[in-house]
Amino acid sequence: MTATKTASKKAVSKKGAPVEDVSGKAAPARSATGKKAAPPAAAAKKSVSKKAAPAKAVAKKTAPAKAAAKRTAPASGDGTKTAAKKSVPAKTAAKKTAVKKAPPGQSSVAEPPRDESHTALVRRARRINRELAEVYPYAHPELDFQNPFQLIVATVLSAQTTDLRVNQTTPALFAKYPTPEDLAEANAEEVEEILRPTGFFRAKTKSVIGLSKALRDDFGGEVPGRLEDLVKLPGVGRKTAFVVLGNAFGRPGITVDTHFQRLVRRWKWTEQTEPDKIEAAVGALFPKSEWTMLSHHVIFHGRRICHARKPACGACPIAPLCPAYGEGETDPEKARKLLKYEKGGFPGQRLNPPQSYLDAGGIPAPPLGAG
């Protein structure tokens, strides 16, 4: 609209001076403010073709000016074309900003390099383990046991229930059946009644009695210390076998339970979903000597801070290293309320935890029926 007004002023001045002729010569005109306007010849070069047309050609240029006005402030004088050009870079910049802008609520999410090399992954994974070792120097298996037999039975019973419930149940079981021979000869209905609090008690009764018979008949009443022997026992898979090997025999093993699976995928250590493949992928990132304690560190962290449904991201000590930061509560105060066990000031899962756990402020779990 400004350009049209300017063209009109050029066509008829207050003094009645003629508009530029075909040769491009024109008398100087004055603007409404009385100031000298830009030479019409220069304006014509920017707004019309080489064949100087009357004001009608200039008017055609005003259409883009309206579109440009939506994006930029109104231009003055003969700046219509300049305003249109300036608006393009602004639009491009806006597009770049939109691409870089994070989704709402995800601005603080840490993202690992898309092309993280294997060496970089190994370094990040090992640093996470070192950090967790400082946070949980007292990490340990959270099943109460005094010998390999008690540990293997407790681990079989821990399926589909908590370690706490198993620890509250096994004292009565081992008091009545302290050895494999005793449990092998047990009355199934009596064992079922003892194991009822753990859930799936009939299937578990069958497993532990069958396990005890195999130990009595095939291994002289002793728990074998080899993986290939352990996995042959009723109810014993690789996870249970590695728990026994690592904690009863001191032989390294990775325990791929539900917490371990969840966390290693959140940390982008592996994309595998099958326990055997997860075990192999994670095992390749660490020295074999660290496997058992690595399992304890990861499982402890999963139970206390990095929960399945609502991880306490705002209270996580490894947040700067975690690609999944932001999936849970990031507010520090709210996140602290989500902490469990000794991190939240609550009792742990073991009735008889190690002294190191008690020294760190841990509280023993109550016996079955207490509280």
Side-chain angles (χ1 to χ4, degrees):
M1 188 169 191
T2 307
T4 306
K5 186 181 291 186
T6 305
S8 300
K9 289 179 181 178
K10 288 179 181 178
V12 182
S13 68
K14 290 181 180 178
K15 294 181 179 181
V19 191
E20 58 180 321
D21 58 16
V22 178
S23 64
K25 294 179 181 179
R30 290 182 179 273
S31 64
T33 58
K35 293 182 181 180
K36 285 186 178 181
K45 288 181 182 179
K46 293 182 181 179
S47 58
V48 298
S49 61
K50 291 181 180 179
K51 293 182 179 180
K56 183 178 180 182
V58 179
K60 289 183 180 179
K61 291 291 183 177
T62 61
K66 290 182 180 180
K70 294 180 180 179
R71 297 190 295 269
T72 59
S76 60
D78 60 349
T80 303
K81 187 172 181 182
T82 305
K85 284 186 176 180
K86 287 183 178 179
S87 67
V88 174
K91 185 176 181 181
T92 305
K95 285 184 178 178
K96 290 182 178 180
T97 305
V99 171
K100 293 180 179 180
K101 188 177 179 181
Q106 298 293 322
S107 57
S108 58
V109 176
E111 297 224 358
R114 290 183 179 180
D115 300 322
E116 186 176 37
S117 67
H118 179 72
T119 300
L121 172 60
V122 169
R123 289 174 178 169
R124 184 169 62 86
R126 293 185 181 184
R127 184 179 173 188
I128 287 176
N129 188 40
R130 289 194 299 271
E131 295 284 345
L132 294 180
E134 293 182 8
V135 178
Y136 309 108
Y138 46 80
H140 57 274
E142 295 192 271
L143 290 170
D144 282 325
F145 70 98
Q146 296 178 348
N147 54 56
F149 172 64
Q150 290 187 359
L151 179 58
I152 196 171
V153 170
T155 306
V156 170
L157 295 178
S158 67
Q160 305 299 318
T161 191
T162 64
D163 287 355
L164 171 60
R165 184 61 69 193
V166 173
N167 292 334
Q168 292 174 327
T169 303
T170 50
L173 179 69
F174 295 138
K176 192 167 186 177
Y177 310 106
T179 68
E181 291 81 1
D182 294 325
L183 191 52
E185 298 296 329
N187 179 281
E189 292 182 357
E190 293 179 359
V191 176
E192 286 177 1
E193 195 58 34
I194 295 174
L195 300 184
R196 185 180 292 273
T198 66
F200 303 97
F201 57 91
R202 291 189 179 88
K204 290 180 179 180
T205 295
K206 184 178 180 180
S207 292
V208 297
I209 290 179
L211 165 67
S212 299
K213 288 180 178 179
L215 292 176
R216 179 196 63 188
D217 300 340
D218 302 332
F219 299 99
E222 299 292 332
V223 177
R226 299 193 312 164
L227 176 64
E228 53 267 36
D229 293 330
L230 287 169
V231 294
K232 294 177 182 178
L233 298 171
V236 177
R238 290 179 68 87
K239 185 193 85 169
T240 297
F242 281 127
V243 169
V244 174
L245 289 173
N247 298 287
F249 294 98
R251 297 175 184 174
I254 293 178
T255 304
V256 184
D257 73 347
T258 180
H259 302 288
F260 194 93
Q261 292 184 49
R262 181 178 73 253
L263 267 62
V264 298
R265 285 198 295 269
R266 276 183 178 169
W267 296 336
K268 305 298 182 185
W269 288 3
T270 179
E271 297 297 329
Q272 299 293 339
T273 56
E274 298 177 19
D276 291 0
K277 293 182 179 180
I278 291 174
E279 176 195 321
V282 175
L285 303 177
F286 296 88
K288 191 173 182 178
S289 59
E290 296 182 11
W291 287 358
T292 299
M293 287 310 299
L294 167 69
S295 301
H296 292 325
H297 296 153
V298 175
I299 293 171
F300 254 60
H301 192 61
R303 286 174 170 170
R304 285 149 178 79
I305 296 177
C306 196
H307 313 307
R309 295 185 179 179
K310 201 170 184 181
C313 295
C316 181
I318 60 166
L321 301 171
C322 181
Y325 176 80
E327 286 187 9
E329 180 58 66
T330 57
D331 181 83
E333 289 299 324
K334 293 179 180 179
R336 275 193 285 272
K337 295 179 181 179
L338 300 174
L339 303 182
K340 295 183 178 179
Y341 304 117
E342 76 283 353
K343 292 300 180 183
F346 305 109
Q349 298 204 77
R350 292 187 64 168
L351 277 65
N352 300 294
Q355 187 60 46
S356 59
Y357 180 77
L358 299 175
D359 292 342
I363 305 171
L368 187 64

